[in-house]
Amino acid sequence: MSTDVNEQRKALREAALHFHEFPKPGKLEIQATKPLGNQRDLALAYSPGVAAPCEEIAANPDSVAKYTSRQNLVAVISNGTAVLGLGNIGALASKPVMEGKAVLFKKFAGIDVFDLEIDELDPKKFVDAVAPLWPTFGGINLEDIRAPDCFEIEEALRERMPIPVFHDDQHGTAIIVGAAVLNGLELKGKKIEDVKICASGAGAAAIACLNVLVALGAKHENIWVADKDGLVTHKRNDVNDKWRGQFRRTSDATTLAEVIEGADIFLGLSAAGALKPEMLAKMAPKPLILALANPNPEITPELAKETRPDAMVCTGRSDYPNQVNNVLCFPFIFRGALDVAATTINEEMKLAAVRAIARLAHEPGLESSPSGAPAVFGADHIIPNPFDQRLILRIAPAVARAAMESGVAKKPITDWPAYMDSLNRFVFRSGLVMKPIIDRAQGQNKRIAFADGEDERVLRATQVLLEERIAKAILIGRPSVIESRIERFGLSLRPGIDFEVVNPEDDPRYRDYVSLFHSLVGRDGVTPDTARQVVRTNTTVIGALAVKRGEADALICGLQGRFIKHVRDIRSVIGLQEGVTDVSALSMLIMPRGAFFLADTYVNPDPTAEEIVEIALQARSHLKRFNIEAKVALLSYSNFGSRDGESAYKMREAYNKLKVIAPELIVEGEMQGDLALNQGLRERYIPDSVLGGEANLLIFPNLDAANLSMTLLKEMNNALSVGPILMGPRSPAHILAPSTTSRGIVNMAAIAANESIGSEA
């Protein structure tokens, strides 16, 4: 193994330990959803008020979903006997994995989780410990339990618990495999009942995958299974359990290699190298290869394609197309099951998820594949991207409908448009709003110049940009300082290889930079001597000149110095887009309520009506990059002419101009903030408003209102801030707030890379 690989693994390990320890240990915390600010709140939350919901639930058990969080609470439960890549590490050591699973539930589907690590190896005792917990939870997600114990445990718990019980290692993988097979066979032009399937591995996931394929129409007589001891046949006496025994075949063959000729599908859930090139060569035309061993698949996609260029290949890895990742389905299956209070997750619900995932792969992707190619249905895109925002919108409703149609839903959905709207709103509450931006930037190799190249946050962001292939960093700073800080922070970055350095004190392009800078600002009172001094000391100017000369695609600055000074330098060097009066700033806040964009939060003290129109239209273009349709509210102290004044007149005029210039734009105003977010209040003034639901783009009449609102909302809601996004420069350039984190810098780099891609289109 190379020294570089060892160093990368060491750096990743150290970063992971730091991630889990700081700013507080672990990945989870519990937060109250009700206020406890006074004696009355306490009386309602606890004694004596709490008696009322207790009595209601005692009289009507189903009302527990109305008065408690149970219906949105899942238990992630493990004994740590089969942790992916780590094996039998025990219940205690599995806790970080279970916390991670809990975070995924919350992030992708808004589901709360208690992780329970149970120190019990006896399946019957494990079941006895878990089964009585059903009053606490709306569902149970079993995780990382070894086979065949997992089969017995799940089966027993399903019998004893009147709530969904789902072993994700089995069924999550099986559902995605089912979707991949449906789409692969569509491209292959064969029906599932006619295909030959060879499986390497007979553990929990493999058996579940085969069961799903049988449910989809595959025939037992067309399936061959091998485990570490060879082919599963009637000659063996160690595969008599009902789960593996159903796939025993009568044959004198003892290895998979002996029976793989003419196979249409290879299903691998075993070990690296299990599928040899000579075995693949014998398979039928357009073979579907599901090489799912992690971290190294049964055959690498490169070798598979070299051996059989017609092969369709899926792996469990994120750096190849067609990733079989359980996060594609388990959060959304539970979302649909919980939303109808399902008593179980049955076969109908699983198959509904299979078909929903398969259909989504046919829709144009919101992102590029890991290879950089467009995500278009075909051999390299038979499975959707695990971070596709539409997964929850397709899978959860399909599962909910299947639960209702199969008779296991205790609380059927009656208002489907309202339900779909709730799922749509969740997508933008979850932080997934950044995913299309990051996915689109990956692999494009856009060059981002960082004016604050010596800053720790920039160096940590550079590491992420490199690892996630979001952009190539150009760091402006002293090489010796950058190198010493890389070593101090334990990063694995290599100057000149992983990033470029521009040394303000000694760069061979210095004279050219000075000449260009003076040509741009010489008639603004800047002498040649001043120009030389600026290009030696002002890193924002250096980065802007690199963009101007085409040596960088975008600039990010602002961690040091005054915002308005950086604006001046960007205006002077990069200039403004054609037809733009001035730059302006758009800020995004991701809050529990959703993602909201605010403008102009940093630049224009008192924009005119014409400038308000310009800001709104530029902001709409930025929202499109997030795959969000702008719903604009023009804010004021006046509601639709209820009060007079200069600010109200200005916003009223801006509204009238927007309706003429951009009649298709969803815009309303002028109005106060509560009307922008509350449709009921708004309809008291304008019942037929084109703006439905909440506005997501809030345009303020002046800088005071915008900046104060943005900073207050951020602090009061513990919001994730993205931006400010500088709108109007001729080339992408953004000025960070001094408090920006390294993750915030990564987000802004992805936004800048997207702008650069857009400017080339």
Side-chain angles (χ1 to χ4, degrees):
M1 187 178 296
S2 70
T3 302
D4 286 346
V5 172
N6 280 328
E7 287 298 318
Q8 290 172 7
R9 288 186 175 179
K10 180 182 177 183
L12 179 62
R13 178 181 176 82
E14 291 175 354
L17 291 174
H18 186 277
F19 177 87
H20 281 78
E21 184 178 358
F22 300 102
K24 60 191 301 186
K27 299 189 282 281
L28 299 171
E29 67 178 6
I30 295 174
Q31 292 187 345
T33 61
K34 299 294 190 294
L36 287 173
N38 52 50
Q39 191 66 32
R40 178 169 174 78
D41 289 345
L42 185 59
L44 293 173
Y46 199 52
S47 180
V50 73
C54 291
E55 290 167 347
E56 290 292 321
I57 295 168
N60 175 17
D62 287 344
S63 67
V64 69
K66 184 176 181 181
Y67 297 115
T68 75
S69 61
R70 177 181 184 266
Q71 205 54 47
N72 196 51
L73 183 63
V74 165
V76 171
I77 304 179
S78 181
N79 61 6
T81 52
V83 178
L84 181 64
L86 299 174
N88 185 359
I89 59 174
L92 186 63
S94 75
K95 188 171 180 64
V97 179
M98 302 312 126
E99 282 192 356
K101 197 80 170 188
V103 170
L104 295 178
F105 266 108
K106 187 67 173 179
K107 180 76 171 180
F108 289 98
I111 295 171
D112 296 315
V113 167
F114 289 162
D115 62 292
L116 302 177
E117 293 75 33
I118 299 178
D119 188 16
E120 181 54 69
L121 300 181
D122 185 297
K124 291 183 173 57
K125 291 180 179 179
F126 187 95
V127 169
D128 287 339
V130 174
L133 297 174
W134 70 265
T136 303
F137 301 105
I140 302 292
N141 186 87
L142 299 173
E143 190 75 19
D144 293 346
I145 301 172
R146 65 189 174 193
D149 295 356
C150 57
F151 300 119
E152 181 181 339
I153 288 170
E154 184 188 32
E155 190 173 278
L157 289 176
R158 286 174 64 124
E159 291 176 358
R160 291 177 59 177
M161 303 182 83
I163 57 175
V165 177
F166 186 84
H167 185 210
D168 185 45
D169 298 322
Q170 294 180 59
H171 308 301
T173 302
I175 286 165
I176 304 160
V177 164
V181 167
L182 287 181
N183 282 336
L185 292 182
E186 180 180 338
L187 293 171
K188 186 179 172 71
K190 283 188 93 169
K191 295 180 179 180
I192 193 167
E193 55 266 30
D194 299 326
V195 299
K196 180 179 179 181
I197 301 168
C198 286
S200 175
I207 297 302
C209 289
L210 294 173
N211 285 336
V212 162
L213 297 184
V214 169
L216 290 170
K219 295 181 178 179
H220 277 90
E221 57 265 31
N222 292 338
I223 298 174
W224 294 85
V225 180
D227 60 14
K228 61 183 176 59
D229 296 316
L231 208 61
V232 175
T233 68
H234 285 285
K235 288 189 173 184
R236 288 176 54 180
N237 58 13
D238 59 343
V239 286
N240 296 320
D241 61 81
K242 63 180 180 180
W243 299 287
R244 292 179 297 168
Q246 63 177 313
F247 294 106
R248 287 185 298 176
R249 297 292 304 275
T250 300
S251 174
D252 292 328
T254 59
T255 66
L256 203 62
E258 297 174 69
V259 298
I260 201 168
E261 185 169 359
D264 299 281
I265 298 171
F266 171 82
L267 172 63
L269 286 146
S270 54
L275 180 61
K276 308 297 183 186
E278 56 269 25
M279 295 166 64
L280 175 56
K282 297 178 183 179
M283 293 181 68
K286 294 185 179 179
L288 174 58
I289 309 302
L290 297 144
L292 308 183
N294 257 323
N296 300 311
E298 285 80 1
I299 189 169
T300 65
E302 294 90 346
L303 182 55
K305 288 288 190 179
E306 180 184 334
T307 307
R308 289 292 299 269
D310 61 337
M312 296 172 278
V313 186
C314 303
T315 71
R317 293 176 50 148
S318 61
D319 51 349
Y320 292 113
N322 295 324
Q323 183 192 9
V324 176
N325 186 327
N326 287 6
V327 80
L328 268 164
C329 69
F330 74 81
F332 317 120
I333 288 172
F334 269 95
R335 181 73 280 157
L338 294 175
D339 289 340
V340 294
T343 57
T344 187
I345 294 175
N346 57 25
E347 292 305 308
E348 292 87 345
M349 296 160 73
K350 294 173 194 173
L351 294 181
V354 168
R355 295 187 175 99
I357 294 169
R359 284 194 297 270
L360 180 56
H362 287 253
E363 300 182 32
L366 300 177
E367 71 295 308
S368 297
S369 71
S371 66
V376 177
F377 180 66
D380 287 336
H381 188 66
I382 60 175
I383 305 174
N385 185 294
F387 293 97
D388 194 314
Q389 295 168 311
R390 300 167 297 185
L391 285 164
I392 191 172
L393 305 178
R394 303 293 188 272
I395 299 174
V399 170
R401 286 187 187 277
M404 291 165 57
E405 292 168 0
S406 61
V408 299
K410 295 172 66 177
K411 192 180 73 173
I413 293 169
T414 56
D415 188 341
W416 282 97
Y419 179 60
M420 294 303 298
D421 183 61
S422 72
L423 296 178
N424 268 298
R425 289 182 60 193
F426 168 74
V427 169
F428 300 113
R429 287 197 303 270
S430 65
L432 291 175
V433 67
M434 280 302 302
K435 281 308 297 178
I437 298 292
I438 291 172
D439 288 341
R440 206 174 291 125
Q442 287 179 324
Q444 298 298 314
N445 293 321
K446 293 301 176 182
R447 303 159 299 167
I448 311 295
F450 290 94
D452 302 289
E454 298 175 3
D455 191 283
E456 175 185 356
R457 292 166 291 177
V458 171
L459 294 173
R460 292 193 181 280
T462 299
Q463 183 83 53
V464 175
L465 294 175
L466 172 69
E467 291 174 356
E468 298 187 10
R469 304 180 304 112
I470 294 172
K472 299 179 71 173
I474 301 172
L475 304 185
I476 303 171
R478 295 161 293 178
S480 60
V481 174
I482 291 172
E483 289 177 28
S484 67
R485 291 182 178 176
I486 286 173
E487 184 175 358
R488 185 198 312 168
F489 303 141
L491 303 176
S492 60
L493 296 168
R494 299 164 298 175
I497 299 174
D498 297 326
F499 62 91
E500 181 184 340
V501 178
V502 175
N503 182 2
E505 297 177 344
D506 183 22
D507 190 280
R509 297 164 292 188
Y510 171 71
R511 293 180 182 277
D512 294 333
Y513 275 37
V514 170
S515 176
L516 174 59
F517 182 58
H518 187 259
S519 72
L520 295 169
V521 298
R523 294 188 177 274
D524 294 327
V526 177
T527 66
D529 285 342
T530 301
R532 282 190 284 272
Q533 181 182 1
V534 168
V535 177
R536 280 281 189 221
T537 59
N538 189 323
T539 55
T540 295
V541 167
I542 295 170
L545 289 167
V547 173
K548 186 78 171 179
R549 284 165 53 91
E551 295 164 356
D553 298 303
L555 165 67
I556 291 180
C557 59
L559 291 177
Q560 305 291 330
R562 293 166 51 216
F563 188 94
I564 204 65
K565 181 174 178 293
H566 294 292
V567 170
R568 181 200 67 194
D569 293 336
I570 289 168
R571 279 200 205 101
S572 299
V573 177
I574 293 178
L576 301 176
Q577 294 173 15
E578 194 71 32
V580 171
T581 306
D582 198 359
V583 298
S584 56
L586 176 69
S587 295
M588 177 169 66
L589 295 179
I590 302 174
M591 299 180 285
R593 182 164 182 156
F596 296 90
F597 294 80
L598 292 71
D600 170 15
T601 49
Y602 277 90
V603 182
N604 294 280
D606 189 16
T608 65
E610 290 76 13
E611 289 170 335
I612 291 288
V613 168
E614 193 174 280
I615 289 167
L617 294 178
Q618 287 186 83
R620 175 181 64 172
S621 297
H622 275 279
L623 265 66
K624 286 181 180 178
R625 292 192 174 95
F626 292 90
N627 297 327
I628 298 174
E629 181 180 24
K631 298 166 70 175
V632 185
L634 301 173
L635 300 182
S636 171
Y637 56 79
S638 169
N639 284 322
F640 308 105
S642 66
R643 295 184 62 180
D644 295 328
E646 185 177 339
S647 173
Y649 293 150
K650 176 172 65 176
M651 301 309 279
R652 210 172 300 162
E653 183 183 353
Y655 170 78
N656 290 328
K657 288 180 179 293
L658 280 169
K659 295 306 290 182
V660 173
I661 296 171
E664 76 289 351
L665 179 66
I666 300 173
V667 60
E668 194 56 272
E670 84 283 10
M671 58 183 162
Q672 295 175 2
D674 54 351
L675 270 68
L677 303 180
N678 189 316
Q679 181 171 337
L681 291 177
R682 190 165 59 246
E683 287 178 345
R684 295 179 187 177
Y685 287 85
I686 309 292
D688 58 348
S689 171
V690 297
L691 174 59
E694 294 180 331
N696 55 22
L697 175 54
L698 309 178
I699 307 294
F700 291 84
N702 55 54
L703 185 57
D704 278 346
N707 189 270
L708 287 170
S709 296
M710 186 265 296
T711 52
L712 283 171
L713 284 170
K714 177 184 174 184
E715 289 303 312
M716 293 173 68
N717 293 278
N718 192 28
L720 172 63
S721 175
V722 179
I725 301 168
L726 198 65
M727 303 187 295
R730 187 176 295 275
S731 297
H734 299 290
I735 306 167
L736 304 170
S739 60
T740 303
T741 64
S742 59
R743 188 70 228 182
I745 295 171
V746 170
N747 286 336
M748 289 309 303
I751 289 170
N754 270 259
E755 289 180 87
S756 179
I757 295 168
S759 67
E760 296 175 357

